[in-house]
Amino acid sequence: MFLEKREDDKPHKGSVLLGYDLGEQYAQISYCLMGEGDVETVAPVVGTKQYNIPAILCKRKGTNQWLYGKEAVKSADEEDMIPVEGLLQLARKGEELLLDGEAYDPVALLTLFIRRSLGVMSIIVPVEGIDAIMFCVERMDDRMVEVLLQAAANLNLKTSHIYFQSHTESLYSFMLNQQWELWAYQVVVCEHDGRFLRTYRMECNKKTTPIVTLIEEADYETVVVPAQDEEENIKADAFRLADERFFGILEKMFEGRIVSSAYLLGDGFKEEWHKKSLQFLCRGRRVFQGNNLFSKGAVYSLIERFDPSEAGRTHIFLGADKMKANIGMKALRQGKESYYALLDAGESWYELHKSCEIFLSGEREITFVVTPLTGKNAETFVMRLEGAKQTGAPFTRYALEAAMVSADKLHVTVTDMGLGEFFAATEQTWEETFRIL
């Protein structure tokens, strides 16, 4: 989350919630009116089910004219056009691009693409009418958080409800809002772009409270589908080989497990090459094929955030970018030792920040307690305020800032604030980073 939201501007019934799936090759947009109807995916060409917006820009030489998406693809080979592909990867690298004799910030170019592509919503609602937006990307890490924060700020959207998440969390939210029978046991999702296969396996541990949900990912480069213009005899052999390899992957993944449903995503499954694998998948389970699961899941995440379902209240997702432990402090309340909660498990690490004031006397030290949800024993970390000046006050007031700087690092800043007008603040500051779990 990049802006602090106020309770008084919380989305309500009829608010426009938007999910934006930002990929290396394509972007996709889904939306809903909160509390009214289903989640829908926007097709750039009205009346079709072609949801993908190619993640490409084209600059016309000597002008400031930019094309995006399919128009950019059509114009990319023209002599007076300069195509810019791989926008997300370029933004991650952060190196300036020299285009037509001028330097461009790659994050600014990514922002331009996002802004232009959001224009497809104009047939439903103007961009200014979007009440909340969830960006989802394949994986979240420190650099991706920086890129998305900058891009979101540059968009100048009127809403403060702007959030980020990974594909795994979109998958979790999507399944949370499907019929219970589809995820009563495990769920398998296979995503294929023609040359690269990624699988997701979602499992809920019903022995825990709340019910902990985990998603396991795996990547494969052996299931390759030939190009459409390849010779038919070569294609037939390649399809058989791809089907055999895919079948072997599924057999191993499903061994000893009960799978309720399976989902096949991406252009790699367009042609019917996976007949043997599909027969295996359809034995006693539901199978779906499409390519808009993640953008829809992003919308469902917003719905869960503002109006949690019963399943959302009883389940918790512990993905790679989720806090897997509760963090608090040992504190004295009315003379008795107690626990003060700081950061909660199940939240994305890049959304976790807490400010508070504490009073210390005697030994200047703070004890943090980390309690994992994974069943491991709780750990304690002690932060000592070395060199704290003694002012004669019975207590000293300190400002404490605690924030996660990565999925496994807690950064704490403590500042002396004194105690009233007779004991002025010393302006001393202590900082420490703890590695947790």
Side-chain angles (χ1 to χ4, degrees), residues 12-228:
H12 49 76
K13 185 175 181 181
S15 294
V16 179
L17 309 182
L18 187 141
Y20 191 108
D21 182 18
L22 180 58
E24 297 287 351
Q25 296 180 313
Y26 299 99
Q28 205 177 87
I29 299 173
S30 293
Y31 75 97
C32 79
L33 302 182
M34 189 168 174
E36 300 179 8
D38 297 327
V39 175
E40 303 289 345
T41 305
V42 183
V45 180
V46 179
T48 71
K49 291 188 177 181
Q50 299 297 318
Y51 303 129
N52 290 339
I53 305 171
I56 177 176
L57 291 171
C58 259
K59 181 185 185 301
R60 191 175 298 279
K61 293 178 182 178
T63 72
N64 195 34
Q65 181 185 0
W66 293 84
L67 302 178
Y68 84 97
K70 291 186 176 180
E71 290 300 317
V73 173
K74 291 178 183 177
S75 305
D77 293 332
E78 295 179 13
E79 189 175 338
D80 65 337
M81 301 299 292
I82 305 173
V84 185
E85 300 180 81
L87 294 169
L88 195 59
Q89 187 61 31
L90 291 171
R92 285 181 66 95
K93 290 181 180 178
E95 300 173 0
E96 284 192 338
L97 276 75
L98 189 63
L99 303 173
D100 203 17
E102 188 174 348
Y104 288 88
D105 175 6
V107 178
L109 293 179
L110 179 65
T111 305
L112 174 63
F113 170 77
I114 295 172
R115 183 183 293 114
R116 292 285 182 88
S117 59
L118 284 173
V120 303
M121 282 293 294
S122 61
I123 60 174
I124 299 148
V125 65
V127 174
E128 296 76 16
I130 297 171
D131 296 290
I133 184 169
M134 175 70 79
F135 290 97
C136 73
V137 294
E138 186 179 292
R139 288 190 176 95
M140 294 293 298
D141 56 26
D142 303 19
R143 177 55 186 164
M144 185 54 66
V145 171
E146 291 177 11
V147 168
L148 293 177
L149 282 171
Q150 186 178 338
N154 293 341
L155 285 172
N156 295 318
L157 297 175
K158 292 190 176 181
T159 179
S160 63
H161 296 287
I162 304 175
Y163 309 92
F164 318 126
Q165 68 182 27
S166 64
H167 275 178
T168 53
E169 188 165 6
S170 283
L171 167 58
Y172 166 74
S173 297
F174 179 87
M175 294 311 306
L176 214 62
N177 286 271
Q178 304 307 302
Q179 297 174 355
W180 167 246
E181 293 79 9
L182 296 179
W183 56 290
Y185 297 99
Q186 298 187 29
V187 177
V188 166
V189 174
C190 301
E191 183 183 16
H192 201 326
D193 64 0
R195 303 194 63 81
F196 186 81
L197 173 70
R198 168 166 291 135
T199 62
Y200 303 84
R201 184 176 61 83
M202 175 175 143
E203 181 177 9
C204 300
N205 185 354
K206 299 180 178 66
K207 297 179 181 179
T208 62
T209 304
I211 298 171
V212 173
T213 304
L214 299 172
I215 296 178
E216 179 183 271
E217 296 180 65
D219 295 327
Y220 303 90
E221 297 180 349
T222 58
V223 183
V224 180
V225 178
Q228 288 186 346

Side-chain angles (χ1 to χ4, degrees), residues 149-344:
L149 282 171
Q150 186 178 338
N154 293 341
L155 285 172
N156 295 318
L157 297 175
K158 292 190 176 181
T159 179
S160 63
H161 296 287
I162 304 175
Y163 309 92
F164 318 126
Q165 68 182 27
S166 64
H167 275 178
T168 53
E169 188 165 6
S170 283
L171 167 58
Y172 166 74
S173 297
F174 179 87
M175 294 311 306
L176 214 62
N177 286 271
Q178 304 307 302
Q179 297 174 355
W180 167 246
E181 293 79 9
L182 296 179
W183 56 290
Y185 297 99
Q186 298 187 29
V187 177
V188 166
V189 174
C190 301
E191 183 183 16
H192 201 326
D193 64 0
R195 303 194 63 81
F196 186 81
L197 173 70
R198 168 166 291 135
T199 62
Y200 303 84
R201 184 176 61 83
M202 175 175 143
E203 181 177 9
C204 300
N205 185 354
K206 299 180 178 66
K207 297 179 181 179
T208 62
T209 304
I211 298 171
V212 173
T213 304
L214 299 172
I215 296 178
E216 179 183 271
E217 296 180 65
D219 295 327
Y220 303 90
E221 297 180 349
T222 58
V223 183
V224 180
V225 178
Q228 288 186 346
D229 58 357
E230 188 63 79
E231 294 181 15
E232 288 303 317
N233 61 327
I234 296 177
K235 285 177 68 173
D237 289 339
F239 282 155
R240 279 193 294 271
L241 180 59
D243 195 11
E244 286 293 338
R245 288 176 173 174
F246 187 37
F247 175 72
I249 290 169
L250 293 174
E251 266 196 322
K252 187 174 181 180
M253 184 186 303
F254 283 51
E255 186 178 3
R257 299 186 173 106
I258 302 175
V259 177
S260 302
S261 60
Y263 293 78
L264 304 178
L265 311 178
D267 291 342
F269 290 113
K270 275 187 175 180
E271 297 198 53
E272 297 181 1
W273 56 268
H274 48 295
K275 293 180 181 178
K276 182 178 180 180
S277 302
L278 191 58
Q279 288 176 352
F280 173 78
L281 284 172
C282 291
R283 292 174 193 163
R285 61 184 69 89
R286 301 277 297 278
V287 180
F288 303 87
Q289 187 166 337
N291 69 349
N292 59 344
L293 184 151
F294 296 123
S295 61
K296 279 192 166 187
V299 180
Y300 284 122
S301 290
L302 290 173
I303 296 172
E304 288 293 334
R305 187 177 288 262
F306 301 125
D307 186 20
S309 62
E310 178 61 28
R313 286 189 288 267
T314 56
H315 291 68
I316 187 170
F317 173 57
L318 295 185
D321 53 353
K322 293 293 184 180
M323 275 288 292
K324 297 175 179 61
N326 293 309
I327 299 179
M329 295 187 298
K330 288 184 178 180
L332 286 177
R333 290 183 179 177
Q334 298 179 344
K336 295 183 179 180
E337 189 172 282
S338 62
Y339 174 86
Y340 177 77
L342 280 174
L343 308 177
D344 294 330

